[in-house]
Amino acid sequence: MTRVLVVEDDPQLVRALVINMQARRYGVDSAPDGATALRLVAARQPDVVLLDLGLPDMDGVDVIKTLRGWTRVPILVLSARRASDEKVAALDAGADDYVTKPFSMDELMARLRAAVRRTEESPLAAGTMFVETADFTIDLRAKKVVRGAHDVRLTPTEWHLLEILVTHPGRLITQRFLLQEVWGVSRRDKTNYLRVYMAQLRRKLETDPARPRYLITEPGMGYRFEG
Ligand code: CA
């Protein structure tokens, strides 16, 4: 049974979530504030945490930072906030994905399943050497990409970006994280670099670079590799 911890201070929403999740045979605990959430993650070791960012006692982003000090449990953020800054802050702090309120229960359940599935699959098990898609194969150790019968030539920067994305399949990686990893802290606002390099990667890897199937843009947020 998949165990979910719902961290949310709106009792009506908690009730709706609990009913829906129990109907889908999830085990559910709930916490109305950040302090209870931190205690219950340690005590119950849930498989996934559903976290509201606006809590009465702590900022949800601080809950994420604290959890990430000791656990890799997937964290799906529930945010009423439209500002993408706060979602980015949550993702940079270590959240795995986010859903904006109001959301449909079906969408939420799909994201929840995806978050749990990803931890079962990723980060790629140590020793994973190949990432295969219908269109290309990536050899992580040899740093080689083969598409059809041909090697794809990548620059070191293109390779670095691709490697980060494919080793976190399905996960939204923020622009800021990618810029910092590939170009360094001083360049982390240069989102135009990312656009240029992602366009190059798509030209090299995607059948239709204008409608990418693997290297997906989340506007204003970051990028995701769909394997
Ligand atoms: Ca709230």
Side-chain angles (χ1 to χ4, degrees):
M1 182 194 275
T2 302
R3 285 158 312 134
V4 186
L5 175 64
V6 175
V7 186
E8 167 63 64
D9 58 329
D10 172 353
Q12 266 181 303
L13 181 53
V14 172
R15 197 154 48 236
L17 289 167
V18 169
I19 289 169
N20 273 278
M21 288 179 185
Q22 285 177 341
R24 290 167 169 85
R25 311 209 175 284
Y26 286 97
V28 194
D29 285 308
S30 67
D33 55 54
T36 310
L38 295 173
R39 192 167 50 73
L40 285 183
V41 172
R44 305 287 178 92
Q45 309 213 329
D47 298 302
V48 57
V49 175
L50 198 57
L51 175 71
D52 178 32
L53 285 184
L55 295 170
D57 61 335
M58 294 173 71
D59 191 313
V61 173
D62 292 326
V63 174
I64 298 167
K65 287 180 184 159
T66 307
L67 287 176
R68 283 295 174 254
W70 58 274
T71 173
R72 290 293 315 146
V73 64
I75 301 172
L76 183 60
V77 162
L78 287 177
S79 170
R81 307 172 191 185
R82 297 245 166 101
S84 68
D85 301 13
E86 273 150 339
K87 292 174 198 156
V88 169
L91 292 163
D92 277 333
D96 293 83
D97 205 349
Y98 68 92
V99 177
T100 305
K101 295 179 188 174
F103 49 82
S104 78
M105 210 45 88
D106 284 344
E107 183 198 354
L108 178 69
M109 292 301 155
R111 298 290 193 100
L112 205 62
R113 281 194 300 276
V116 173
R117 198 170 56 233
R118 278 200 296 279
T119 41
E120 284 159 4
E121 292 167 357
S122 76
L124 290 181
T128 298
M129 293 303 156
F130 293 97
V131 176
E132 282 196 57
T133 73
D135 293 317
F136 52 87
T137 304
I138 301 169
D139 181 339
L140 290 168
R141 186 153 60 180
K143 303 199 174 205
K144 232 174 96 164
V145 183
V146 177
R147 182 177 175 201
H150 304 283
D151 285 357
V152 178
R153 286 179 183 278
L154 298 182
T155 67
T157 302
E158 290 167 353
W159 173 262
H160 198 166
L161 270 178
L162 183 66
E163 187 181 36
I164 294 170
L165 291 167
V166 303
T167 52
H168 299 84
R171 178 151 175 197
L172 171 54
I173 310 287
T174 62
Q175 294 173 344
R176 187 182 158 96
F177 180 84
L178 289 168
L179 285 164
Q180 186 168 315
E181 286 294 306
V182 177
W183 284 276
V185 174
S186 63
R187 304 286 165 80
R188 67 188 178 197
D189 56 348
K190 303 279 189 191
T191 52
N192 57 319
Y193 290 13
L194 276 176
R195 276 197 294 277
V196 168
Y197 278 89
M198 291 301 292
Q200 287 172 196
L201 277 173
R202 285 180 180 136
R203 273 200 299 277
K204 293 181 179 184
L205 299 176
E206 297 276 358
T207 304
D208 182 355
R211 268 177 304 213
R213 171 175 169 189
Y214 303 105
L215 300 168
I216 310 299
T217 302
E218 297 271 343
M221 306 287 292
Y223 298 89
R224 205 191 276 275
F225 173 73
E226 294 291 353

